[in-house]
Every structure is written in structure tokens, then in C-alpha cells.
Amino acid sequence: MALTVLWVAAAMYVERKTVSTNVSITGIGLHSGIYTKVELHPVPAGNGITFVRADLDGLRIPALQASTTSLDYATTLGKDDVAVGTVEHLLAAVMAFGITDLDVHIDGPEVPIVDGSALPFMHLIDAAGVRALGVDVPVLRVSEPIEIVDGEKSIRITPSNRLVLNHKIDFSHPAIGRQSYRFDYHRDNFLRKIAPARTYGFLRDVERMRAAGLARGGSVENALVLDDRGVMNGPLRFRDEFVRHKILDLLGDLALLGRPIVGEITANRAGHAMHSRFVGEILRKTVGTIDESEGTQPAAAIESFA
Ligand SMILES: [Zn+2]
């Protein structure tokens, strides 16, 4: 029997938003070890989220799946051999505020890691303020599940009118083990329960990563470091800080859809590479089903979009 699946987006809209004023933050890049300044600039509706290399004649790199160049330990965007790395924690904060339009000026190749979490970016956007742009954007909503499986790793989305992220990890490490977390998307939930969760790395990987040009800015100040027995630079902010950080990363990677999304997303042992394939799969399967015209009706009551 032939099965016809229609990927139909319901007419669901939220209002486009940008920041109210310019704000900036500086710091070292986790992988490059290079200090950069990031400055958020308000932009008109329809701009989307774009990284702007302020040191390279303002070269613009849209924060979209199509710009992804590398997914080793962090999400890197690029264009014409120019990159902006470790975008995911900043983008998670941008997503948490429901910001759809923003220029992120940066004078180097990597977003500062700051304390390894999204909290500094939450405070930065909060300091700038958020301005509604008076124009609606259609929300992506799948009508059928989409799933990617790769050995023990998997990620799927099922239809829902809210955005809910579930993540599960299983590391045979005394400080981690099995952890799972369910996050109901809302700015305040994100601020309290997810944003403070820091990135983490294993001491045994550091030499190999540095030889590969990674983790050069990493330190006990900006990442949880694990040796074979436990966390070297505790205390943890949450007992399950590791899986909460995976949720943070996933939300940041979903920004590369280029539009808001609703659905129940469940990830198992997935990392940036799988998140990215998933975003690509959602875009492929929903292309053409979204009404791209700017909505004029009032934003649908999606409370989870803070
Ligand atoms: Zn991360």
C-alpha cells in the first residue's frame, strides 16, 4: 500500500524580535584560544540571525544550516574560508528569547566561551532588552515524525504545538552515567534550568584535541573537566549538569533552522553532528510546506515562545 505523507505546517505564527540596543561581550574562544569581542546589533524584520566578521570588511555569515562547516565538538559556521566557531551557546540564548533577527558582529573566528554556559549570553541579551518587530514569522510544525538513527545514537521529532526537548546520555563515567532531561521551552525555564549548565570535556582527550587545534582556550574556568574518577573543578551547578548542557547545545543548533519550530524532540546520545543532520532532514522534509509570506494575523498563542 502506498503511503503518502504530507508535511503540512499549520498556520502558526510568532512575532519577530530583535534586541533593543547594541551590547557587547569579550572573551577567549574555547577551541581557538583567540580573544574576540561579540557585539549584538538590532536589525529590521526579515534580516534573520547573521554573524558579521567585523575584522573582515563585515563579511556576513547567516546562522543557517547551509552555512555549517564543522561539527567537531562545537558548531562552526563559515563562508569563503572564513569561519565563526562555537556559535551554539550564544544561539541557544538567542532562541530562548525568541529573537529571530539579529546581527552578531565578531572580530575573530570564535564566539567567547565565557564560563562555558549560556548564562552570560542570557544576561547580555537581557541587558540589551528585546524589541518586538510587529511582523510575524511562520512556525515550523511537522505533521509526521522525523527520525535519524545511527547505531546507538538517535534523534526524532513528533508533532506538538509546543517545543519540548528531551535528551539522554550514557557515559560510563562515575560522574555522569545515565542522565536524561525533559525541557519545556520557555525563557524562564531556560534561564533557571538549562542556561547555567556548562560545557564539559575529558582530561584524557585534551592532548589529542589540542594537537588537532581544539580546546586551546579551554581551562577549568570555562569547562567542567573530568578525569577518570570525577569532576576536577566542581562543584556541579546541577547533579545532571551534563545532560542539561546537551539540551542547551540542541536548542542552539535548532537556531540553524532559521525559523521557530514546535514539536517534541527526543535525542539519545546525539551531538552536534547529529543535531545538524537532523536540522537538515527537517528542512528537506518540510520545504515548500511553509507559507513564507509574512503573517498578518495575531501571533498564535504559543505560550512556550517567551
Ligand atoms: Zn556546548
Side-chain angles (χ1 to χ4, degrees), residues 279-306:
V279 164
E281 192 69 7
I282 292 173
L283 289 173
R284 257 190 305 283
K285 290 196 165 163
T286 55
V287 72
T289 65
I290 298 265
D291 176 8
E292 297 289 350
S293 62
E294 285 168 349
T296 49
Q297 64 194 86
I302 305 170
E303 287 172 24
S304 61
F305 281 89

Side-chain angles (χ1 to χ4, degrees), residues 23 25 37-43 47-54 59-61 63 84 87 90-91 94 99 101-107 111-112 121 124:
V23 281
I25 190 168
K37 177 181 178 186
V38 159
E39 197 168 75
L40 308 184
H41 289 227
V43 290
N47 179 91
I49 297 162
T50 307
F51 287 86
V52 181
R53 279 292 297 263
L59 179 86
R60 298 177 67 82
I61 306 173
V84 176
V87 296
L90 170 60
L91 290 181
V94 167
I99 289 174
D101 299 278
L102 180 71
D103 271 359
V104 182
H105 290 235
I106 181 165
D107 62 357
V111 174
F121 301 119
L124 184 70

Side-chain angles (χ1 to χ4, degrees), residues 43-257:
V43 290
N47 179 91
I49 297 162
T50 307
F51 287 86
V52 181
R53 279 292 297 263
D55 57 326
L56 296 173
D57 296 329
L59 179 86
R60 298 177 67 82
I61 306 173
L64 293 172
Q65 163 73 10
S67 305
T68 306
T69 56
S70 166
L71 298 156
D72 292 332
Y73 298 97
T75 299
T76 300
L77 305 176
K79 187 179 176 184
D80 305 339
D81 295 331
V82 174
V84 176
T86 317
V87 296
E88 62 271 20
H89 304 164
L90 170 60
L91 290 181
V94 167
M95 286 284 280
F97 277 95
I99 289 174
T100 52
D101 299 278
L102 180 71
D103 271 359
V104 182
H105 290 235
I106 181 165
D107 62 357
E110 190 178 7
V111 174
I113 189 68
V114 205
D115 73 345
S117 80
L119 211 45
F121 301 119
M122 293 299 285
H123 293 152
L124 184 70
I125 295 170
D126 198 41
V130 174
R131 185 158 58 86
L133 289 166
V135 176
D136 290 343
V137 57
V139 174
L140 201 52
R141 185 183 184 283
V142 299
S143 59
E144 298 286 336
I146 298 173
E147 182 170 34
I148 294 179
V149 179
D150 182 2
E152 291 185 312
K153 301 177 184 177
S154 65
I155 185 164
R156 83 181 122 89
I157 182 168
T158 54
S160 171
N161 287 335
R162 307 179 64 79
L163 178 60
V164 177
L165 306 183
N166 301 275
H167 224 299
K168 205 187 286 182
I169 55 174
D170 187 357
F171 281 102
S172 55
H173 185 281
I176 307 180
R178 283 187 191 176
Q179 300 188 350
S180 62
Y181 197 86
R182 177 186 173 85
F183 166 65
D184 204 344
Y185 173 77
H186 185 278
R187 185 189 58 207
D188 296 337
N189 259 349
F190 184 81
L191 179 65
R192 286 185 293 113
K193 297 173 179 171
I194 304 295
R198 291 162 291 176
T199 193
Y200 55 94
F202 297 91
L203 187 65
R204 62 169 184 258
D205 295 338
V206 168
E207 284 311 311
R208 186 174 48 79
M209 288 177 74
R210 289 199 171 151
L214 295 164
R216 290 182 175 173
S219 76
V220 292
E221 302 298 319
N222 56 34
L224 289 167
V225 183
L226 296 133
D227 63 13
D228 290 338
R229 285 167 306 176
V231 179
M232 299 173 70
N233 55 335
L236 294 175
R237 291 177 177 174
F238 308 100
R239 182 189 52 77
D240 54 357
E241 187 166 353
F242 306 96
V243 73
R244 291 183 194 227
H245 187 80
K246 298 295 281 189
I247 300 249
L248 192 167
D249 281 342
L250 175 57
L251 185 64
D253 287 339
L254 289 175
L256 302 183
L257 286 163

